[in-house]
Amino acid sequence: MNGVAFGVFLFLFLVVTVLGFAAARWRRVSRLDNLDEWGLGGRGFGTFIAWFLIGGDIYTAYTFIAVPATLYAGSATGFFAVPYTIIIYPLVFAFMPRLWSVSHRHGYVTPADFVEGRYGSKGLGLAVAITGIVATMPYIALQLVGMQVVLQVMGLQSNSDNWFVKDLPLFVAFIILAAYTYSAGLRAPALIAFVKDTLIYVVIIVAVIYIPHQVGGWGHIFETVQKGFTDFNTQNADAIAAKQAAPKAIMPGPTGHWAYASLALGSALALFMYPHSVTGVLSTRNRSVIRRNAALLPAYSFLLGLLALLGFVAIAAGVKVANPQQSIPQLFENQFPAWFAGVAYAAIVIGALVPAAIMSIAAANLFTRNIYKAYLKPAASPTEEAKVAKLVSLVVKFGALLFVLAMDKSFAINLQLLGGVWILQTFPAIVAGLYTRWFHRWALLLAWAVAMAYGTITAYRTASPTQRHFGGSVANFPFTNTGVYIALTAFVINVVVAVLATVVLRALRVPDGEDRTVASDYVADLGDAHVEPELNPLT
């Protein structure tokens, strides 16, 4: 362990810890005893805060580690994360203001609240809620995995056989995260996001300028990577032919174009279906804040493109690690001065704290509103809702920690793969519902179930050279030999079943649920009836 790097890391970690607890009093207009205040930050975040919050929510520590790690490992489709974070923002510009409007008009806190109100179906709302919670849990676990990787590279993980002593730094970080999330709610990650995003911008910009210069420039980097991948493919030609090893490439070949494109499109459609993304959007002050952020957030996509290239830089710099996820932290340790390596480590760990906090809050909101209040205690008061949500947020984080410590990391990654497959299946009920009430509630529920079953079974049956099950996110589209993102195939099946079942159910005159919304709800803005202005808006 390098003392200077650790000292810088510890200082920055203590700074965000203080900010996390101070956030409980930050521009608060009332006590944090209801979900609007605790779970949505008072619904008053302006453009500046929302940009940091939503950006910090989407571009996580695991993104910081996993995206360049895929390029380091030679995945030809690894760069798909860049186009998908560009494709999503025109979609957000179009449909998220409508979700904001109807949610503020009716007091909805979660996407499942909207689905239940739109279709008059508790069952469909429960399906959306459970999908959101289950898809979010492994996402939180992977943030802790990202923290664990950094702590390992820093030398903070003990070699003790005692599991508690071995991961003691991770426990400490977890306890601090749980404490300030419990006390301050969404305000804590909103305030910390300022530090997190600033550090990440500084670290990545310095890294893509300084490190390539140290290793011979970008031309040398790409030549080294291309030669290394070619040599690997030549030396392992027999194993690749026998599908015992995966070929390495900088760009996908002709057979991989559909896989690459479908990964980008499917991931884009799924991203803002995650509960934590919706939570960030609903915390904003008005519709214009969402539109401005849809225009400004692609700045993070530019940063992500630079970050991804660091995977190639690590290869050219001679970084040798058994686990590709350690490649970027190890690159920083090898190339940066000790003090700046400490800044980089802090950026990644703090980059895990922000999304982990928002994700646990979003999962707690879903459980409280769409399971506890909907089924267990319909008469629960706003204060009781907030108390339950706070406790559930602790349980969610504790579950994610046990997940990381007790199970193989590949299992967490596999479940994250399934999370993307699952969460996309809520898209028809949520997004279609923002524009039309044509779909029948039972048709949507049936289509959701069919798509979930198909996606789960297909992902389970997908093999790779190293795994018999959950070996990848791409499988042949039905009745073809074309590889397509499993989630997108399941989504197509979802839409087809929903359309056909709706036609049949309406022909049979099966009763539909009551729509508790009206057309004007979807364009309501701050100052309109039942959309009250904040007393102390957060800019």
Side-chain angles (χ1 to χ4, degrees), residues 80-91:
F80 83 93
V82 177
Y84 104 65
T85 56
I86 296 171
I87 294 170
I88 181 57
Y89 294 115
L91 302 177

PDB file of all heavy atoms in Angstrom, residues 80-91:
ATOM      1  N   PHE A  80     -19.992  -0.563 -27.420  1.00  0.00           N
ATOM      2  CA  PHE A  80     -21.407  -0.276 -27.647  1.00  0.00           C
ATOM      3  C   PHE A  80     -21.973   0.684 -26.601  1.00  0.00           C
ATOM      4  O   PHE A  80     -22.990   1.355 -26.840  1.00  0.00           O
ATOM      5  CB  PHE A  80     -22.229  -1.568 -27.639  1.00  0.00           C
ATOM      6  CG  PHE A  80     -22.605  -2.053 -26.261  1.00  0.00           C
ATOM      7  CD1 PHE A  80     -23.806  -1.700 -25.684  1.00  0.00           C
ATOM      8  CD2 PHE A  80     -21.737  -2.847 -25.527  1.00  0.00           C
ATOM      9  CE1 PHE A  80     -24.151  -2.122 -24.410  1.00  0.00           C
ATOM     10  CE2 PHE A  80     -22.064  -3.287 -24.260  1.00  0.00           C
ATOM     11  CZ  PHE A  80     -23.273  -2.923 -23.699  1.00  0.00           C
ATOM     12  N   ALA A  81     -21.334   0.763 -25.418  1.00  0.00           N
ATOM     13  CA  ALA A  81     -21.842   1.642 -24.367  1.00  0.00           C
ATOM     14  C   ALA A  81     -21.840   3.102 -24.787  1.00  0.00           C
ATOM     15  O   ALA A  81     -22.637   3.896 -24.281  1.00  0.00           O
ATOM     16  CB  ALA A  81     -21.015   1.452 -23.093  1.00  0.00           C
ATOM     17  N   VAL A  82     -20.952   3.466 -25.706  1.00  0.00           N
ATOM     18  CA  VAL A  82     -20.881   4.868 -26.131  1.00  0.00           C
ATOM     19  C   VAL A  82     -22.079   5.250 -26.999  1.00  0.00           C
ATOM     20  O   VAL A  82     -22.785   6.220 -26.694  1.00  0.00           O
ATOM     21  CB  VAL A  82     -19.545   5.164 -26.845  1.00  0.00           C
ATOM     22  CG1 VAL A  82     -19.513   6.600 -27.346  1.00  0.00           C
ATOM     23  CG2 VAL A  82     -18.376   4.900 -25.899  1.00  0.00           C
ATOM     24  N   PRO A  83     -22.381   4.528 -28.085  1.00  0.00           N
ATOM     25  CA  PRO A  83     -23.559   4.920 -28.864  1.00  0.00           C
ATOM     26  C   PRO A  83     -24.867   4.792 -28.100  1.00  0.00           C
ATOM     27  O   PRO A  83     -25.787   5.587 -28.320  1.00  0.00           O
ATOM     28  CB  PRO A  83     -23.521   3.968 -30.072  1.00  0.00           C
ATOM     29  CG  PRO A  83     -22.618   2.860 -29.693  1.00  0.00           C
ATOM     30  CD  PRO A  83     -21.629   3.441 -28.749  1.00  0.00           C
ATOM     31  N   TYR A  84     -24.955   3.819 -27.190  1.00  0.00           N
ATOM     32  CA  TYR A  84     -26.251   3.678 -26.504  1.00  0.00           C
ATOM     33  C   TYR A  84     -26.510   4.840 -25.552  1.00  0.00           C
ATOM     34  O   TYR A  84     -27.661   5.250 -25.360  1.00  0.00           O
ATOM     35  CB  TYR A  84     -26.364   2.305 -25.848  1.00  0.00           C
ATOM     36  CG  TYR A  84     -26.191   2.181 -24.358  1.00  0.00           C
ATOM     37  CD1 TYR A  84     -27.082   2.766 -23.466  1.00  0.00           C
ATOM     38  CD2 TYR A  84     -25.174   1.383 -23.824  1.00  0.00           C
ATOM     39  CE1 TYR A  84     -26.946   2.601 -22.102  1.00  0.00           C
ATOM     40  CE2 TYR A  84     -25.036   1.205 -22.464  1.00  0.00           C
ATOM     41  CZ  TYR A  84     -25.926   1.826 -21.603  1.00  0.00           C
ATOM     42  OH  TYR A  84     -25.791   1.654 -20.254  1.00  0.00           O
ATOM     43  N   THR A  85     -25.450   5.430 -24.990  1.00  0.00           N
ATOM     44  CA  THR A  85     -25.669   6.597 -24.133  1.00  0.00           C
ATOM     45  C   THR A  85     -25.826   7.877 -24.944  1.00  0.00           C
ATOM     46  O   THR A  85     -25.995   8.956 -24.366  1.00  0.00           O
ATOM     47  CB  THR A  85     -24.505   6.767 -23.135  1.00  0.00           C
ATOM     48  OG1 THR A  85     -23.269   6.845 -23.844  1.00  0.00           O
ATOM     49  CG2 THR A  85     -24.456   5.608 -22.159  1.00  0.00           C
ATOM     50  N   ILE A  86     -25.782   7.763 -26.263  1.00  0.00           N
ATOM     51  CA  ILE A  86     -26.115   8.890 -27.142  1.00  0.00           C
ATOM     52  C   ILE A  86     -27.550   8.733 -27.649  1.00  0.00           C
ATOM     53  O   ILE A  86     -28.341   9.683 -27.657  1.00  0.00           O
ATOM     54  CB  ILE A  86     -25.133   8.961 -28.328  1.00  0.00           C
ATOM     55  CG1 ILE A  86     -23.709   9.244 -27.823  1.00  0.00           C
ATOM     56  CG2 ILE A  86     -25.559  10.045 -29.325  1.00  0.00           C
ATOM     57  CD1 ILE A  86     -22.644   9.127 -28.888  1.00  0.00           C
ATOM     58  N   ILE A  87     -27.900   7.495 -28.032  1.00  0.00           N
ATOM     59  CA  ILE A  87     -29.238   7.220 -28.556  1.00  0.00           C
ATOM     60  C   ILE A  87     -30.322   7.561 -27.535  1.00  0.00           C
ATOM     61  O   ILE A  87     -31.404   8.028 -27.886  1.00  0.00           O
ATOM     62  CB  ILE A  87     -29.349   5.724 -28.949  1.00  0.00           C
ATOM     63  CG1 ILE A  87     -28.412   5.403 -30.122  1.00  0.00           C
ATOM     64  CG2 ILE A  87     -30.787   5.354 -29.309  1.00  0.00           C
ATOM     65  CD1 ILE A  87     -28.284   3.914 -30.395  1.00  0.00           C
ATOM     66  N   ILE A  88     -30.037   7.344 -26.254  1.00  0.00           N
ATOM     67  CA  ILE A  88     -31.087   7.441 -25.243  1.00  0.00           C
ATOM     68  C   ILE A  88     -31.625   8.862 -25.062  1.00  0.00           C
ATOM     69  O   ILE A  88     -32.817   9.049 -24.789  1.00  0.00           O
ATOM     70  CB  ILE A  88     -30.565   6.902 -23.886  1.00  0.00           C
ATOM     71  CG1 ILE A  88     -31.645   6.950 -22.800  1.00  0.00           C
ATOM     72  CG2 ILE A  88     -29.343   7.670 -23.420  1.00  0.00           C
ATOM     73  CD1 ILE A  88     -32.896   6.194 -23.144  1.00  0.00           C
ATOM     74  N   TYR A  89     -30.797   9.874 -25.262  1.00  0.00           N
ATOM     75  CA  TYR A  89     -31.237  11.209 -24.845  1.00  0.00           C
ATOM     76  C   TYR A  89     -32.341  11.823 -25.701  1.00  0.00           C
ATOM     77  O   TYR A  89     -33.208  12.529 -25.157  1.00  0.00           O
ATOM     78  CB  TYR A  89     -30.024  12.137 -24.715  1.00  0.00           C
ATOM     79  CG  TYR A  89     -29.144  11.676 -23.582  1.00  0.00           C
ATOM     80  CD1 TYR A  89     -27.856  11.202 -23.805  1.00  0.00           C
ATOM     81  CD2 TYR A  89     -29.625  11.652 -22.276  1.00  0.00           C
ATOM     82  CE1 TYR A  89     -27.066  10.732 -22.755  1.00  0.00           C
ATOM     83  CE2 TYR A  89     -28.854  11.189 -21.225  1.00  0.00           C
ATOM     84  CZ  TYR A  89     -27.577  10.732 -21.473  1.00  0.00           C
ATOM     85  OH  TYR A  89     -26.814  10.264 -20.434  1.00  0.00           O
ATOM     86  N   PRO A  90     -32.378  11.603 -27.014  1.00  0.00           N
ATOM     87  CA  PRO A  90     -33.583  12.059 -27.738  1.00  0.00           C
ATOM     88  C   PRO A  90     -34.859  11.386 -27.231  1.00  0.00           C
ATOM     89  O   PRO A  90     -35.925  12.012 -27.206  1.00  0.00           O
ATOM     90  CB  PRO A  90     -33.279  11.660 -29.196  1.00  0.00           C
ATOM     91  CG  PRO A  90     -31.794  11.622 -29.272  1.00  0.00           C
ATOM     92  CD  PRO A  90     -31.340  11.115 -27.938  1.00  0.00           C
ATOM     93  N   LEU A  91     -34.748  10.118 -26.821  1.00  0.00           N
ATOM     94  CA  LEU A  91     -35.910   9.422 -26.267  1.00  0.00           C
ATOM     95  C   LEU A  91     -36.327  10.054 -24.940  1.00  0.00           C
ATOM     96  O   LEU A  91     -37.510  10.258 -24.683  1.00  0.00           O
ATOM     97  CB  LEU A  91     -35.593   7.935 -26.070  1.00  0.00           C
ATOM     98  CG  LEU A  91     -35.170   7.160 -27.321  1.00  0.00           C
ATOM     99  CD1 LEU A  91     -34.820   5.715 -26.957  1.00  0.00           C
ATOM    100  CD2 LEU A  91     -36.288   7.178 -28.360  1.00  0.00           C
TER     101      LEU A  91
END
